[in-house]
Amino acid sequence: MKTPPIVTPQEWEAAREQLLVKEKELTRARDALAAQRRRMPWMAVEKDYAFDGPEGRASLLDLFEGRRQLIVYRAFFEPGVSGWPDHGCVGCSMVADQVAHLAHLNARDTTLAFASRAPQPDIARLKTRMGWTMPWYTMTDEFDADFGVDEWHGTNAFIREDGRVFRTYFVNARGDEAMGSTWSYLDITALGRQEQWEDSPEGYPQTPPYEWWNWHDSYDKPA
């Protein structure tokens, strides 16, 4: 293993400052890309999709749980997938392990849900074993094929307006690697982080950063 050179503290700090310039450029580029996502056209979801959930049959609109936005990750946990019936796909399980506390997403009017083809009893057993708490539904129709996740994992973002559902974004393959943090999920939604510094279309909901942040058990109380 050929390691980098050993330098003095001053030389190390200079190297760090040089790299920081490029890192800041990447941050600004990432913010600009998220701004473009917020201007993506919306696609109306015309079909009625049905899922099985812990409380019984559910529509795609039900998956929003009353919130304005919905993010659905297609996880491979079902017969024929490596690990069945004790585990889900290794990669999908790593994604599940990375998911931040959902209260922060919920505070931005956004719901995250997982969807697989495994029956609900198997999903409940797996969630208990692995300590996962996200809503997890069973697909019963062509939802996976229609939204690009029938043969590979992927994350779809939706928004609801006046009782209708619209698809706003989709990411898969290596794009899913970064998913898990509150910010990575909000950055793929139509409304973004909903903070005042963001470049969003006129009229989008926005509040000052920091002011809406709270402890995950205290969102029903003033921050």
Side-chain angles (χ1 to χ4, degrees), residues 6 30 54 203:
I6 308 301
R30 190 166 52 240

Side-chain angles (χ1 to χ4, degrees), residues 133-158:
T133 60
M134 71 284 289
W136 198 320
Y137 296 88
T138 303
M139 296 177 290
T140 65
D141 48 32
E142 302 82 23
F143 178 86
D144 50 358
D146 290 351
F147 289 98
V149 288
D150 55 329
E151 295 181 354
W152 197 243
H153 61 84
T155 304
N156 279 280
F158 302 90

Side-chain angles (χ1 to χ4, degrees), residues 156-213:
N156 279 280
F158 302 90
I159 196 168
R160 65 184 183 98
E161 288 283 309
D162 300 322
R164 300 184 66 194
V165 176
F166 301 89
R167 188 190 196 192
T168 61
Y169 191 68
F170 172 65
V171 61
N172 64 357
R174 287 196 64 195
D176 270 347
E177 287 180 350
M179 295 294 102
S181 77
T182 300
W183 305 123
S184 65
Y185 282 126
L186 289 177
D187 282 346
I188 68 168
T189 64
L191 301 181
R193 303 185 186 192
Q194 304 166 51
E195 295 186 340
Q196 289 176 342
W197 62 270
E198 287 182 300
D199 174 12
S200 292
E202 184 178 353
Y204 273 42
Q206 290 187 319
T207 59
Y210 298 98
E211 289 189 8
W212 70 271
W213 303 4

